[in-house]
Amino acid sequence: MPQREFDITINKDGSVELHIKGYKGRACLEAAKLFEKIVGETQSESHTSEFYEPEEEVRRHLDQSHGL
Amino acid sequence: MSAVCILTPLVVAAWPAFSAAVVAAASSLGYQVVAGETVETHTTTTQTNVVQLEIARSEVVTSQLGRDQRIIVTRNGVTVTFSRDVRGKASLCVTGEGQSKQELKALGEELSQTVVQQYVFQKLTDEMRNRGFVVVDQEVNEDRSIRMKVRHWEN
């Protein structure tokens, strides 16, 4: 079962900084949408290198096809 | 880490959730609640300054019966009355004797920001708990920001 981790900082003005960890690829966008639904509008969003890695399902297929 | 987002809060709350955030914020800043959900008439003197503020991006949902709901908190001679204006926005009236309008405005903004912070904290905590997220660490930083580390296991 994949573990997802979220570092959340609620600033004193109520704005929220959200660091989403443990996702490969665009799957983290779904998590970001969930927090947007709870908190409010997304003011800015940046992606780390993991965002551009293949998603887990794609990666499993790739590993299988390469006999890993 | 795969993404970093900054979110601007929207306060869309029923009166009970909003007043709970007011009480939590007021307590954390040393204010005392003097009246809840009661209409009070203020008598003002010429020395008393009054500042009217509103909480941006807020909507307090209330029933027809609860239109005059308000909550009043005080600290060191400053009185802040939270209510819902005719457009449904959360508003606050800050009054105090011997305080300039700028000082009252600063106090009101500090309190209203803390109300938004407490509202977001409560909403996030409730929604995450309902979705099976686990808060593994939580602390209040020196700058009064609240930091939480949350985990979720997906099937």
Side-chain angles (χ1 to χ4, degrees), chain A residues 1-23 28 32 34-51, chain B residues 1-11 57 110 113-114 116-124 127-128 131 133 136 141 143-155:
Chain A
M1 215 181 338
Q3 177 186 293
R4 314 303 192 190
E5 196 165 291
F6 306 87
D7 272 348
I8 302 166
T9 302
I10 309 171
N11 295 315
K12 65 178 185 180
D13 65 354
S15 63
V16 173
E17 288 177 39
L18 171 66
H19 295 216
I20 303 171
K21 302 173 183 178
Y23 287 90
C28 75
L34 169 66
F35 280 89
E36 190 179 67
K37 198 173 157 190
I38 297 171
V39 176
E41 298 161 359
T42 299
Q43 193 180 313
S44 70
E45 184 177 301
S46 57
H47 305 134
T48 63
S49 57
E50 277 180 294
F51 179 84
Chain B
M1 196 186 302
S2 36
V4 181
C5 307
I6 310 287
L7 301 166
T8 304
L10 291 174
V11 178
R57 296 179 300 278
E110 179 191 44
Q113 286 186 348
T114 310
V116 175
Q117 185 195 39
Q118 288 297 324
Y119 170 78
V120 170
F121 171 72
Q122 199 54 57
K123 189 167 184 199
L124 262 177
E127 296 278 353
M128 289 192 302
R131 289 172 165 86
F133 289 66
V136 293
N141 298 322
D143 64 359
R144 296 203 347 258
S145 62
I146 302 169
R147 198 186 68 76
M148 292 190 282
K149 190 184 279 287
V150 179
R151 289 201 181 122
H152 189 243
W153 289 266
E154 289 178 6
N155 293 320

Side-chain angles (χ1 to χ4, degrees), chain B residues 81-95:
Chain B
T81 304
F82 285 87
S83 60
R84 174 186 183 273
D85 70 15
V86 288
R87 298 163 300 157
K89 271 191 184 294
S91 66
L92 54 157
C93 176
V94 190
T95 61

Side-chain angles (χ1 to χ4, degrees), chain A residues 54-67:
Chain A
E55 292 180 38
E56 276 120 8
E57 197 60 29
V58 175
R59 188 174 204 100
R60 255 200 298 277
H61 289 307
L62 283 172
D63 289 349
Q64 282 165 1
S65 64
H66 287 87

